[in-house]
PDB file of all heavy atoms in Angstrom:
ATOM      1  N   ARG O   1      11.840  26.878 -28.782  1.00 97.00           N
ATOM      2  CA  ARG O   1      10.924  26.729 -29.880  1.00 97.00           C
ATOM      3  C   ARG O   1      11.481  25.692 -30.874  1.00 97.00           C
ATOM      4  O   ARG O   1      12.658  25.807 -31.251  1.00 97.00           O
ATOM      5  CB  ARG O   1      10.704  28.069 -30.609  1.00 97.00           C
ATOM      6  CG  ARG O   1       9.750  27.881 -31.759  1.00 97.00           C
ATOM      7  CD  ARG O   1       9.303  29.189 -32.425  1.00 97.00           C
ATOM      8  NE  ARG O   1       8.399  28.901 -33.513  1.00 97.00           N
ATOM      9  CZ  ARG O   1       7.088  28.889 -33.471  1.00 97.00           C
ATOM     10  NH1 ARG O   1       6.490  29.253 -32.355  1.00 97.00           N
ATOM     11  NH2 ARG O   1       6.351  28.631 -34.499  1.00 97.00           N
ATOM     12  N   ILE O   2      10.652  24.713 -31.221  1.00 97.00           N
ATOM     13  CA  ILE O   2      11.078  23.668 -32.105  1.00 97.00           C
ATOM     14  C   ILE O   2      10.271  23.689 -33.405  1.00 97.00           C
ATOM     15  O   ILE O   2       9.081  23.434 -33.372  1.00 97.00           O
ATOM     16  CB  ILE O   2      10.955  22.288 -31.441  1.00 97.00           C
ATOM     17  CG1 ILE O   2      11.771  22.271 -30.130  1.00 97.00           C
ATOM     18  CG2 ILE O   2      11.358  21.158 -32.361  1.00 97.00           C
ATOM     19  CD1 ILE O   2      11.467  21.121 -29.212  1.00 97.00           C
ATOM     20  N   ASP O   3      10.929  24.049 -34.497  1.00 97.00           N
ATOM     21  CA  ASP O   3      10.275  23.994 -35.823  1.00 97.00           C
ATOM     22  C   ASP O   3      10.915  22.930 -36.666  1.00 97.00           C
ATOM     23  O   ASP O   3      10.413  22.637 -37.758  1.00 97.00           O
ATOM     24  CB  ASP O   3      10.402  25.370 -36.494  1.00 97.00           C
ATOM     25  CG  ASP O   3       9.546  26.424 -35.824  1.00 97.00           C
ATOM     26  OD1 ASP O   3       8.345  26.155 -35.580  1.00 97.00           O
ATOM     27  OD2 ASP O   3      10.051  27.537 -35.511  1.00 97.00           O
ATOM     28  N   GLY O   4      12.005  22.319 -36.199  1.00 97.00           N
ATOM     29  CA  GLY O   4      12.670  21.253 -36.876  1.00 97.00           C
ATOM     30  C   GLY O   4      12.262  19.898 -36.282  1.00 97.00           C
ATOM     31  O   GLY O   4      11.140  19.780 -35.771  1.00 97.00           O
ATOM     32  N   MET O   5      13.185  18.953 -36.327  1.00 98.00           N
ATOM     33  CA  MET O   5      12.894  17.606 -35.830  1.00 98.00           C
ATOM     34  C   MET O   5      13.864  17.182 -34.742  1.00 98.00           C
ATOM     35  O   MET O   5      15.083  17.426 -34.891  1.00 98.00           O
ATOM     36  CB  MET O   5      13.004  16.580 -37.001  1.00 98.00           C
ATOM     37  CG  MET O   5      12.722  15.167 -36.563  1.00 98.00           C
ATOM     38  SD  MET O   5      12.882  14.128 -38.007  1.00 98.00           S
ATOM     39  CE  MET O   5      12.082  12.668 -37.433  1.00 98.00           C
ATOM     40  N   ILE O   6      13.354  16.634 -33.650  1.00 97.00           N
ATOM     41  CA  ILE O   6      14.221  16.114 -32.574  1.00 97.00           C
ATOM     42  C   ILE O   6      13.837  14.688 -32.347  1.00 97.00           C
ATOM     43  O   ILE O   6      12.669  14.355 -32.103  1.00 97.00           O
ATOM     44  CB  ILE O   6      14.042  16.936 -31.249  1.00 97.00           C
ATOM     45  CG1 ILE O   6      14.506  18.357 -31.467  1.00 97.00           C
ATOM     46  CG2 ILE O   6      14.796  16.265 -30.135  1.00 97.00           C
ATOM     47  CD1 ILE O   6      14.379  19.216 -30.211  1.00 97.00           C
ATOM     48  N   LYS O   7      14.834  13.787 -32.418  1.00 97.00           N
ATOM     49  CA  LYS O   7      14.681  12.413 -32.014  1.00 97.00           C
ATOM     50  C   LYS O   7      15.480  12.224 -30.748  1.00 97.00           C
ATOM     51  O   LYS O   7      16.651  12.027 -30.759  1.00 97.00           O
ATOM     52  CB  LYS O   7      15.186  11.442 -33.111  1.00 97.00           C
ATOM     53  CG  LYS O   7      14.306  11.388 -34.329  1.00 97.00           C
ATOM     54  CD  LYS O   7      14.761  10.336 -35.271  1.00 97.00           C
ATOM     55  CE  LYS O   7      13.784  10.212 -36.429  1.00 97.00           C
ATOM     56  NZ  LYS O   7      14.164   9.104 -37.363  1.00 97.00           N
ATOM     57  N   GLY O   8      14.776  12.347 -29.632  1.00 96.00           N
ATOM     58  CA  GLY O   8      15.402  12.268 -28.335  1.00 96.00           C
ATOM     59  C   GLY O   8      14.497  12.967 -27.312  1.00 96.00           C
ATOM     60  O   GLY O   8      13.477  13.590 -27.657  1.00 96.00           O
ATOM     61  N   ASN O   9      14.906  12.926 -26.080  1.00 97.00           N
ATOM     62  CA  ASN O   9      14.109  13.554 -25.004  1.00 97.00           C
ATOM     63  C   ASN O   9      14.388  15.019 -24.943  1.00 97.00           C
ATOM     64  O   ASN O   9      15.496  15.476 -25.213  1.00 97.00           O
ATOM     65  CB  ASN O   9      14.420  12.868 -23.668  1.00 97.00           C
ATOM     66  CG  ASN O   9      14.113  11.399 -23.680  1.00 97.00           C
ATOM     67  OD1 ASN O   9      13.165  10.965 -24.338  1.00 97.00           O
ATOM     68  ND2 ASN O   9      14.892  10.616 -22.960  1.00 97.00           N
ATOM     69  N   VAL O  10      13.349  15.811 -24.510  1.00 96.00           N
ATOM     70  CA  VAL O  10      13.443  17.254 -24.393  1.00 96.00           C
ATOM     71  C   VAL O  10      13.074  17.613 -22.932  1.00 96.00           C
ATOM     72  O   VAL O  10      12.056  17.164 -22.450  1.00 96.00           O
ATOM     73  CB  VAL O  10      12.530  17.990 -25.381  1.00 96.00           C
ATOM     74  CG1 VAL O  10      12.643  19.473 -25.207  1.00 96.00           C
ATOM     75  CG2 VAL O  10      12.849  17.559 -26.800  1.00 96.00           C
ATOM     76  N   SER O  11      13.936  18.408 -22.331  1.00 95.00           N
ATOM     77  CA  SER O  11      13.685  18.869 -20.915  1.00 95.00           C
ATOM     78  C   SER O  11      13.948  20.347 -20.819  1.00 95.00           C
ATOM     79  O   SER O  11      15.002  20.819 -21.252  1.00 95.00           O
ATOM     80  CB  SER O  11      14.583  18.104 -19.996  1.00 95.00           C
ATOM     81  OG  SER O  11      14.420  18.557 -18.702  1.00 95.00           O
ATOM     82  N   SER O  12      12.995  21.063 -20.279  1.00 95.00           N
ATOM     83  CA  SER O  12      13.130  22.531 -20.086  1.00 95.00           C
ATOM     84  C   SER O  12      12.486  22.923 -18.790  1.00 95.00           C
ATOM     85  O   SER O  12      11.427  22.410 -18.433  1.00 95.00           O
ATOM     86  CB  SER O  12      12.453  23.323 -21.233  1.00 95.00           C
ATOM     87  OG  SER O  12      12.446  24.664 -20.942  1.00 95.00           O
ATOM     88  N   LYS O  13      13.129  23.852 -18.075  1.00 94.00           N
ATOM     89  CA  LYS O  13      12.537  24.366 -16.854  1.00 94.00           C
ATOM     90  C   LYS O  13      11.556  25.526 -17.159  1.00 94.00           C
ATOM     91  O   LYS O  13      10.982  26.110 -16.256  1.00 94.00           O
ATOM     92  CB  LYS O  13      13.629  24.876 -15.893  1.00 94.00           C
ATOM     93  CG  LYS O  13      14.467  23.751 -15.370  1.00 94.00           C
ATOM     94  CD  LYS O  13      15.528  24.268 -14.405  1.00 94.00           C
ATOM     95  CE  LYS O  13      16.353  23.101 -13.910  1.00 94.00           C
ATOM     96  NZ  LYS O  13      17.419  23.527 -12.997  1.00 94.00           N
ATOM     97  N   ALA O  14      11.374  25.805 -18.422  1.00 95.00           N
ATOM     98  CA  ALA O  14      10.533  26.901 -18.854  1.00 95.00           C
ATOM     99  C   ALA O  14       9.468  26.353 -19.899  1.00 95.00           C
ATOM    100  O   ALA O  14       9.012  25.255 -19.777  1.00 95.00           O
ATOM    101  CB  ALA O  14      11.345  28.026 -19.468  1.00 95.00           C
ATOM    102  N   LYS O  15       9.166  27.159 -20.918  1.00 96.00           N
ATOM    103  CA  LYS O  15       8.116  26.831 -21.904  1.00 96.00           C
ATOM    104  C   LYS O  15       8.751  26.238 -23.168  1.00 96.00           C
ATOM    105  O   LYS O  15       9.776  26.735 -23.645  1.00 96.00           O
ATOM    106  CB  LYS O  15       7.340  28.096 -22.274  1.00 96.00           C
ATOM    107  CG  LYS O  15       6.203  27.832 -23.228  1.00 96.00           C
ATOM    108  CD  LYS O  15       5.367  29.079 -23.441  1.00 96.00           C
ATOM    109  CE  LYS O  15       4.170  28.816 -24.289  1.00 96.00           C
ATOM    110  NZ  LYS O  15       3.339  29.978 -24.474  1.00 96.00           N
ATOM    111  N   ILE O  16       8.072  25.283 -23.730  1.00 97.00           N
ATOM    112  CA  ILE O  16       8.420  24.698 -25.012  1.00 97.00           C
ATOM    113  C   ILE O  16       7.322  24.975 -25.972  1.00 97.00           C
ATOM    114  O   ILE O  16       6.162  24.785 -25.659  1.00 97.00           O
ATOM    115  CB  ILE O  16       8.672  23.179 -24.911  1.00 97.00           C
ATOM    116  CG1 ILE O  16       9.854  22.881 -24.003  1.00 97.00           C
ATOM    117  CG2 ILE O  16       8.870  22.558 -26.289  1.00 97.00           C
ATOM    118  CD1 ILE O  16      10.114  21.395 -23.735  1.00 97.00           C
ATOM    119  N   ILE O  17       7.673  25.409 -27.182  1.00 97.00           N
ATOM    120  CA  ILE O  17       6.711  25.595 -28.256  1.00 97.00           C
ATOM    121  C   ILE O  17       7.143  24.726 -29.410  1.00 97.00           C
ATOM    122  O   ILE O  17       8.277  24.806 -29.875  1.00 97.00           O
ATOM    123  CB  ILE O  17       6.645  27.052 -28.752  1.00 97.00           C
ATOM    124  CG1 ILE O  17       6.140  27.978 -27.628  1.00 97.00           C
ATOM    125  CG2 ILE O  17       5.688  27.171 -29.965  1.00 97.00           C
ATOM    126  CD1 ILE O  17       6.192  29.435 -27.915  1.00 97.00           C
ATOM    127  N   ILE O  18       6.248  23.832 -29.874  1.00 98.00           N
ATOM    128  CA  ILE O  18       6.484  23.012 -31.022  1.00 98.00           C
ATOM    129  C   ILE O  18       5.641  23.546 -32.134  1.00 98.00           C
ATOM    130  O   ILE O  18       4.443  23.427 -32.134  1.00 98.00           O
ATOM    131  CB  ILE O  18       6.177  21.549 -30.721  1.00 98.00           C
ATOM    132  CG1 ILE O  18       7.064  21.046 -29.551  1.00 98.00           C
ATOM    133  CG2 ILE O  18       6.426  20.654 -31.966  1.00 98.00           C
ATOM    134  CD1 ILE O  18       6.728  19.684 -29.053  1.00 98.00           C
ATOM    135  N   GLY O  19       6.324  24.223 -33.103  1.00 97.00           N
ATOM    136  CA  GLY O  19       5.643  24.870 -34.228  1.00 97.00           C
ATOM    137  C   GLY O  19       4.993  23.874 -35.151  1.00 97.00           C
ATOM    138  O   GLY O  19       5.175  22.622 -35.030  1.00 97.00           O
ATOM    139  N   GLN O  20       4.228  24.330 -36.151  1.00 97.00           N
ATOM    140  CA  GLN O  20       3.522  23.488 -37.057  1.00 97.00           C
ATOM    141  C   GLN O  20       4.407  22.550 -37.820  1.00 97.00           C
ATOM    142  O   GLN O  20       4.010  21.400 -38.100  1.00 97.00           O
ATOM    143  CB  GLN O  20       2.696  24.319 -38.062  1.00 97.00           C
ATOM    144  CG  GLN O  20       1.457  24.948 -37.465  1.00 97.00           C
ATOM    145  CD  GLN O  20       0.604  25.582 -38.512  1.00 97.00           C
ATOM    146  OE1 GLN O  20       0.727  25.383 -39.706  1.00 97.00           O
ATOM    147  NE2 GLN O  20      -0.355  26.378 -38.050  1.00 97.00           N
ATOM    148  N   SER O  21       5.625  22.953 -38.139  1.00 97.00           N
ATOM    149  CA  SER O  21       6.564  22.030 -38.828  1.00 97.00           C
ATOM    150  C   SER O  21       7.390  21.223 -37.860  1.00 97.00           C
ATOM    151  O   SER O  21       8.198  20.400 -38.273  1.00 97.00           O
ATOM    152  CB  SER O  21       7.478  22.869 -39.752  1.00 97.00           C
ATOM    153  OG  SER O  21       8.260  23.776 -38.993  1.00 97.00           O
ATOM    154  N   GLY O  22       7.226  21.436 -36.557  1.00 97.00           N
ATOM    155  CA  GLY O  22       8.040  20.760 -35.549  1.00 97.00           C
ATOM    156  C   GLY O  22       7.621  19.298 -35.312  1.00 97.00           C
ATOM    157  O   GLY O  22       6.428  18.983 -35.369  1.00 97.00           O
ATOM    158  N   ILE O  23       8.629  18.456 -35.107  1.00 98.00           N
ATOM    159  CA  ILE O  23       8.408  17.048 -34.813  1.00 98.00           C
ATOM    160  C   ILE O  23       9.288  16.665 -33.657  1.00 98.00           C
ATOM    161  O   ILE O  23      10.527  16.923 -33.710  1.00 98.00           O
ATOM    162  CB  ILE O  23       8.738  16.165 -36.032  1.00 98.00           C
ATOM    163  CG1 ILE O  23       7.878  16.526 -37.250  1.00 98.00           C
ATOM    164  CG2 ILE O  23       8.613  14.700 -35.679  1.00 98.00           C
ATOM    165  CD1 ILE O  23       8.303  15.847 -38.527  1.00 98.00           C
ATOM    166  N   VAL O  24       8.741  16.033 -32.623  1.00 98.00           N
ATOM    167  CA  VAL O  24       9.524  15.547 -31.515  1.00 98.00           C
ATOM    168  C   VAL O  24       9.151  14.086 -31.329  1.00 98.00           C
ATOM    169  O   VAL O  24       7.948  13.732 -31.194  1.00 98.00           O
ATOM    170  CB  VAL O  24       9.267  16.322 -30.222  1.00 98.00           C
ATOM    171  CG1 VAL O  24      10.002  15.655 -29.047  1.00 98.00           C
ATOM    172  CG2 VAL O  24       9.676  17.770 -30.371  1.00 98.00           C
ATOM    173  N   GLU O  25      10.166  13.224 -31.333  1.00 97.00           N
ATOM    174  CA  GLU O  25      10.001  11.793 -31.060  1.00 97.00           C
ATOM    175  C   GLU O  25      10.820  11.467 -29.856  1.00 97.00           C
ATOM    176  O   GLU O  25      12.012  11.174 -29.937  1.00 97.00           O
ATOM    177  CB  GLU O  25      10.445  10.967 -32.272  1.00 97.00           C
ATOM    178  CG  GLU O  25       9.547  11.123 -33.464  1.00 97.00           C
ATOM    179  CD  GLU O  25      10.016  10.312 -34.694  1.00 97.00           C
ATOM    180  OE1 GLU O  25      10.956   9.556 -34.557  1.00 97.00           O
ATOM    181  OE2 GLU O  25       9.420  10.483 -35.739  1.00 97.00           O
ATOM    182  N   GLY O  26      10.212  11.622 -28.688  1.00 97.00           N
ATOM    183  CA  GLY O  26      10.904  11.385 -27.409  1.00 97.00           C
ATOM    184  C   GLY O  26      10.056  11.974 -26.287  1.00 97.00           C
ATOM    185  O   GLY O  26       9.121  12.725 -26.481  1.00 97.00           O
ATOM    186  N   ASN O  27      10.444  11.655 -25.080  1.00 97.00           N
ATOM    187  CA  ASN O  27       9.723  12.138 -23.897  1.00 97.00           C
ATOM    188  C   ASN O  27      10.008  13.641 -23.643  1.00 97.00           C
ATOM    189  O   ASN O  27      11.117  14.097 -24.022  1.00 97.00           O
ATOM    190  CB  ASN O  27      10.119  11.304 -22.672  1.00 97.00           C
ATOM    191  CG  ASN O  27       9.694   9.869 -22.806  1.00 97.00           C
ATOM    192  OD1 ASN O  27       8.730   9.566 -23.476  1.00 97.00           O
ATOM    193  ND2 ASN O  27      10.434   8.973 -22.215  1.00 97.00           N
ATOM    194  N   ILE O  28       9.051  14.319 -23.053  1.00 97.00           N
ATOM    195  CA  ILE O  28       9.181  15.753 -22.810  1.00 97.00           C
ATOM    196  C   ILE O  28       8.856  16.026 -21.364  1.00 97.00           C
ATOM    197  O   ILE O  28       7.851  15.523 -20.798  1.00 97.00           O
ATOM    198  CB  ILE O  28       8.249  16.580 -23.716  1.00 97.00           C
ATOM    199  CG1 ILE O  28       8.580  16.296 -25.195  1.00 97.00           C
ATOM    200  CG2 ILE O  28       8.311  18.007 -23.400  1.00 97.00           C
ATOM    201  CD1 ILE O  28       7.609  16.933 -26.199  1.00 97.00           C
ATOM    202  N   VAL O  29       9.691  16.849 -20.686  1.00 97.00           N
ATOM    203  CA  VAL O  29       9.481  17.344 -19.370  1.00 97.00           C
ATOM    204  C   VAL O  29       9.657  18.877 -19.419  1.00 97.00           C
ATOM    205  O   VAL O  29      10.709  19.320 -19.889  1.00 97.00           O
ATOM    206  CB  VAL O  29      10.476  16.724 -18.381  1.00 97.00           C
ATOM    207  CG1 VAL O  29      10.248  17.322 -16.969  1.00 97.00           C
ATOM    208  CG2 VAL O  29      10.324  15.215 -18.315  1.00 97.00           C
ATOM    209  N   CYS O  30       8.649  19.629 -18.944  1.00 96.00           N
ATOM    210  CA  CYS O  30       8.774  21.079 -18.990  1.00 96.00           C
ATOM    211  C   CYS O  30       7.758  21.732 -18.052  1.00 96.00           C
ATOM    212  O   CYS O  30       6.936  21.069 -17.463  1.00 96.00           O
ATOM    213  CB  CYS O  30       8.566  21.578 -20.425  1.00 96.00           C
ATOM    214  SG  CYS O  30       6.929  21.191 -21.091  1.00 96.00           S
ATOM    215  N   ALA O  31       7.879  23.058 -17.924  1.00 96.00           N
ATOM    216  CA  ALA O  31       6.923  23.841 -17.130  1.00 96.00           C
ATOM    217  C   ALA O  31       5.631  24.034 -17.869  1.00 96.00           C
ATOM    218  O   ALA O  31       4.526  23.857 -17.334  1.00 96.00           O
ATOM    219  CB  ALA O  31       7.535  25.168 -16.718  1.00 96.00           C
ATOM    220  N   ASN O  32       5.693  24.455 -19.140  1.00 97.00           N
ATOM    221  CA  ASN O  32       4.526  24.714 -19.990  1.00 97.00           C
ATOM    222  C   ASN O  32       4.881  24.258 -21.388  1.00 97.00           C
ATOM    223  O   ASN O  32       6.032  24.344 -21.793  1.00 97.00           O
ATOM    224  CB  ASN O  32       4.176  26.178 -20.032  1.00 97.00           C
ATOM    225  CG  ASN O  32       3.698  26.702 -18.717  1.00 97.00           C
ATOM    226  OD1 ASN O  32       2.560  26.423 -18.321  1.00 97.00           O
ATOM    227  ND2 ASN O  32       4.532  27.454 -18.027  1.00 97.00           N
ATOM    228  N   ILE O  33       3.904  23.841 -22.172  1.00 97.00           N
ATOM    229  CA  ILE O  33       4.132  23.448 -23.556  1.00 97.00           C
ATOM    230  C   ILE O  33       2.946  23.837 -24.448  1.00 97.00           C
ATOM    231  O   ILE O  33       1.796  23.732 -24.007  1.00 97.00           O
ATOM    232  CB  ILE O  33       4.460  21.953 -23.695  1.00 97.00           C
ATOM    233  CG1 ILE O  33       4.946  21.619 -25.089  1.00 97.00           C
ATOM    234  CG2 ILE O  33       3.304  21.091 -23.286  1.00 97.00           C
ATOM    235  CD1 ILE O  33       5.596  20.242 -25.211  1.00 97.00           C
ATOM    236  N   GLU O  34       3.276  24.271 -25.675  1.00 98.00           N
ATOM    237  CA  GLU O  34       2.273  24.598 -26.643  1.00 98.00           C
ATOM    238  C   GLU O  34       2.651  23.797 -27.878  1.00 98.00           C
ATOM    239  O   GLU O  34       3.741  23.906 -28.435  1.00 98.00           O
ATOM    240  CB  GLU O  34       2.362  26.096 -26.978  1.00 98.00           C
ATOM    241  CG  GLU O  34       1.292  26.596 -27.911  1.00 98.00           C
ATOM    242  CD  GLU O  34       1.402  28.109 -28.082  1.00 98.00           C
ATOM    243  OE1 GLU O  34       1.241  28.808 -27.066  1.00 98.00           O
ATOM    244  OE2 GLU O  34       1.582  28.558 -29.238  1.00 98.00           O
ATOM    245  N   ILE O  35       1.724  22.904 -28.325  1.00 98.00           N
ATOM    246  CA  ILE O  35       2.007  22.039 -29.437  1.00 98.00           C
ATOM    247  C   ILE O  35       1.164  22.409 -30.621  1.00 98.00           C
ATOM    248  O   ILE O  35      -0.103  22.407 -30.550  1.00 98.00           O
ATOM    249  CB  ILE O  35       1.761  20.572 -29.079  1.00 98.00           C
ATOM    250  CG1 ILE O  35       2.654  20.174 -27.849  1.00 98.00           C
ATOM    251  CG2 ILE O  35       2.018  19.641 -30.221  1.00 98.00           C
ATOM    252  CD1 ILE O  35       2.373  18.807 -27.292  1.00 98.00           C
ATOM    253  N   GLU O  36       1.821  22.709 -31.754  1.00 98.00           N
ATOM    254  CA  GLU O  36       1.143  22.960 -33.025  1.00 98.00           C
ATOM    255  C   GLU O  36       1.478  21.882 -34.056  1.00 98.00           C
ATOM    256  O   GLU O  36       0.790  21.676 -34.996  1.00 98.00           O
ATOM    257  CB  GLU O  36       1.574  24.321 -33.602  1.00 98.00           C
ATOM    258  CG  GLU O  36       1.223  25.497 -32.740  1.00 98.00           C
ATOM    259  CD  GLU O  36       1.797  26.821 -33.229  1.00 98.00           C
ATOM    260  OE1 GLU O  36       2.399  26.834 -34.312  1.00 98.00           O
ATOM    261  OE2 GLU O  36       1.640  27.832 -32.537  1.00 98.00           O
ATOM    262  N   GLY O  37       2.600  21.199 -33.811  1.00 97.00           N
ATOM    263  CA  GLY O  37       3.100  20.165 -34.735  1.00 97.00           C
ATOM    264  C   GLY O  37       2.864  18.757 -34.229  1.00 97.00           C
ATOM    265  O   GLY O  37       1.792  18.484 -33.653  1.00 97.00           O
ATOM    266  N   ASN O  38       3.844  17.893 -34.422  1.00 98.00           N
ATOM    267  CA  ASN O  38       3.705  16.462 -34.160  1.00 98.00           C
ATOM    268  C   ASN O  38       4.577  16.038 -33.029  1.00 98.00           C
ATOM    269  O   ASN O  38       5.793  16.325 -33.014  1.00 98.00           O
ATOM    270  CB  ASN O  38       4.043  15.633 -35.418  1.00 98.00           C
ATOM    271  CG  ASN O  38       3.131  15.916 -36.539  1.00 98.00           C
ATOM    272  OD1 ASN O  38       1.922  15.542 -36.483  1.00 98.00           O
ATOM    273  ND2 ASN O  38       3.579  16.557 -37.591  1.00 98.00           N
ATOM    274  N   VAL O  39       4.014  15.272 -32.071  1.00 98.00           N
ATOM    275  CA  VAL O  39       4.792  14.718 -30.942  1.00 98.00           C
ATOM    276  C   VAL O  39       4.393  13.238 -30.794  1.00 98.00           C
ATOM    277  O   VAL O  39       3.237  12.907 -30.764  1.00 98.00           O
ATOM    278  CB  VAL O  39       4.473  15.440 -29.635  1.00 98.00           C
ATOM    279  CG1 VAL O  39       5.176  14.809 -28.469  1.00 98.00           C
ATOM    280  CG2 VAL O  39       4.880  16.924 -29.765  1.00 98.00           C
ATOM    281  N   LYS O  40       5.451  12.423 -30.743  1.00 97.00           N
ATOM    282  CA  LYS O  40       5.250  10.991 -30.444  1.00 97.00           C
ATOM    283  C   LYS O  40       6.162  10.687 -29.266  1.00 97.00           C
ATOM    284  O   LYS O  40       7.374  10.730 -29.379  1.00 97.00           O
ATOM    285  CB  LYS O  40       5.655  10.134 -31.662  1.00 97.00           C
ATOM    286  CG  LYS O  40       5.398   8.655 -31.462  1.00 97.00           C
ATOM    287  CD  LYS O  40       5.699   7.872 -32.699  1.00 97.00           C
ATOM    288  CE  LYS O  40       5.408   6.385 -32.465  1.00 97.00           C
ATOM    289  NZ  LYS O  40       5.738   5.585 -33.655  1.00 97.00           N
TER     290      LYS O  40
END
C-alpha cells in the first residue's frame, strides 16, 4: 500500500494499492493494482 511518494519502479508479485495521497513516478509491474492517487 502506497500513501506516500515513490520515484522509481515498483514490482510486486501480489496486489498494489495506491491510496488517495499516493504518488508513483515510475513503471509498475504487479498481479493486481487499485489506484486512488496519482501515477505517472
